[in-house]
Amino acid sequence: MSHFQREAPKMSPHEIAASWFLRGENGASGAADRARLEAWLADDPRHQAAWDDVSAALQTVADNAADEELLAMRSLALQARPDHRGPMFGVAVAAALLLVVLIPIVVLGLIHPGLTHRNGIAAGDAAGALYRTTVGGRAEVALPDGSLAVLDTDSAMRIAYTGKERGIRLLKGQALFVVAKHRPTPFRVYAGTQRVTAVGTRFNVRIEDGGRIPKTSVALIEGVVRVARLKAAGSAMLDRRSGEVTMTAGELFDSVRPGSLRVSTSEAESAASWTSGTLSFNDMPLGQAIAEMNRYTARPIGLGDPKIASLRVSGVFRTGDSQHFAESMSEVFHLRVAHDARGNPLLLPPSE
């Protein structure tokens, strides 16, 4: 146990990480403190995870530094400081201020992996509202018209409702949408170079890095949607050279291979299995399955030999538990599980 833990035994790992981070930001840490921090991080995998969470959350705060709610909460925290001064007063106040500012991030499921909350926003606040999650986070957002958006790990979306459409811009990652019926304006999701228009339906949209042009995929679970190509990513103009694809329940759309692919409803639903905290793989290469699992954890699984990446995986696995997945793969394929220098699981071929 580190010296810093003994000084503040009642502090959670996230509070300790916040305190350490702000000590460094304020120039209060020297070489000895940095060594103690390194020891604390190495002491328990949860400490490094808490540090990663706080770092990611601080980046989110920095990206939205001018947000009125964040500024108001910071002002209230400053006004609420006690008059007395203890030996840890400066650090404790700094951590308290940081944690207060992070309240809206925690509410959206950004700090604690797998944590899900439903959050409503008033119609008057809808235009331009930005929601994002960090690795392992998941958030439910109740939209002004009664629709629901569920954000997956490391995802971001901006609400763009107008008098002409109920617009959502998926900026990163993946989201499931449950659309309210019988509304006067269409519900549209803009993702990469695709525009998805829905009428009273449930569908999953995902953006993946595809180089110059991002890859967009749509899985329709219920109802009907129309997918049209935009002139460019982020554009509001349709590419008239491309036809519109109409999808019905149990179909998948892939922008790399334009058109819809008929599959079973259960296969379409498996694309949104992440909403229940699981991932469903059906004869998927191990390398691809690991890449999917790694999207949900700060402890990514490594492959010690590219030859085992082609092994085929089927099954349902819980997100955020990379160690358990690695152990399961070792049992199924008789692999070895080791750990890299940061304590992350590493799958290796069987011993000769």
Side-chain angles (χ1 to χ4, degrees):
M1 182 177 293
S2 69
H3 177 61
F4 191 86
Q5 284 177 294
R6 290 195 296 270
E7 289 180 336
K10 294 183 180 180
M11 295 176 72
S12 71
H14 282 93
E15 290 171 318
I16 296 174
S19 298
W20 273 115
F21 198 101
L22 289 172
R23 283 167 67 94
E25 289 287 295
N26 294 331
S29 61
D33 277 338
R34 286 193 292 273
R36 288 163 56 202
L37 171 59
E38 289 297 327
W40 180 76
L41 291 173
D43 190 48
D44 189 319
R46 290 171 296 182
H47 296 171
Q48 181 65 55
W51 179 266
D52 293 341
D53 287 342
V54 169
S55 298
L58 281 167
Q59 183 59 54
T60 300
V61 172
D63 292 343
N64 298 275
D67 183 86
E68 292 183 1
E69 291 186 14
L70 291 180
L71 292 174
M73 282 187 288
R74 183 179 184 278
S75 177
L76 287 173
L78 287 169
Q79 294 172 21
R81 289 184 301 180
D83 292 333
H84 62 276
R85 301 291 190 270
M88 292 295 293
F89 174 76
V91 174
V93 168
L97 287 174
L98 175 59
L99 293 172
V100 167
V101 169
L102 295 184
I103 285 174
I105 301 172
V106 175
V107 169
L108 278 177
L110 309 189
I111 293 296
H112 300 289
L115 185 64
T116 304
H117 291 276
R118 179 167 302 190
N119 300 275
I121 57 172
D125 298 328
L130 176 66
Y131 292 88
R132 66 174 71 206
T133 55
T134 55
V135 174
R138 191 167 68 249
E140 293 187 8
V141 182
L143 301 172
D145 65 313
S147 298
L148 177 68
V150 186
L151 275 179
D152 194 14
T153 176
D154 195 22
S155 301
M157 74 173 188
R158 188 178 296 279
I159 299 176
Y161 278 35
T162 68
K164 296 182 178 180
E165 67 176 12
R166 295 171 285 162
I168 297 290
R169 295 193 178 276
L170 185 62
L171 308 175
K172 180 182 182 183
Q174 179 169 230
L176 174 75
F177 299 95
V178 182
V179 182
K181 301 178 181 179
H182 310 304
R183 299 294 187 270
T185 55
F187 186 96
R188 288 174 176 154
V189 177
Y190 296 84
T193 58
Q194 306 299 317
R195 186 188 75 180
V196 185
T197 303
V199 180
T201 187
R202 186 159 60 104
F203 62 102
N204 191 82
V205 183
R206 177 172 174 176
I207 300 177
E208 298 177 68
D209 184 12
R212 187 174 62 86
I213 300 176
K215 171 188 171 182
T216 302
S217 58
V218 181
L220 182 58
I221 302 166
E222 177 185 305
V224 177
V225 300
R226 297 188 301 275
V227 183
R229 182 178 176 84
L230 302 170
K231 283 186 174 292
S235 170
M237 299 181 63
L238 295 180
D239 185 348
R240 298 299 180 185
R241 297 170 299 177
S242 301
E244 191 173 64
V245 175
T246 299
M247 299 175 61
T248 57
E251 290 188 334
L252 303 175
F253 172 88
D254 182 344
S255 65
V256 176
R257 295 179 294 276
S260 58
L261 174 66
R262 183 71 193 178
V263 296
S264 68
T265 302
S266 61
E267 286 181 279
E269 288 180 341
S270 71
S273 62
W274 58 267
T275 58
S276 61
T278 62
L279 290 178
S280 178
F281 302 139
N282 182 19
D283 198 35
M284 180 179 289
L286 177 59
Q288 186 178 345
I290 286 176
E292 285 296 299
M293 293 294 294
N294 285 349
R295 294 178 57 238
Y296 296 84
T297 179
R299 296 295 177 194
I301 304 166
L303 274 177
D305 189 330
K307 294 179 181 178
I308 62 178
S310 60
L311 297 171
R312 314 299 289 193
V313 180
S314 295
V316 179
F317 303 91
R318 189 169 70 251
T319 59
D321 193 346
S322 55
Q323 182 67 35
H324 179 73
F325 180 81
E327 291 172 353
S328 297
M329 294 303 98
S330 72
E331 293 177 4
V332 172
F333 299 115
H334 306 291
L335 304 175
R336 291 182 293 132
V337 179
H339 292 86
D340 62 20
R342 296 180 64 86
N344 300 329
L346 181 64
L347 282 172
L348 298 167
S351 300
E352 297 294 337

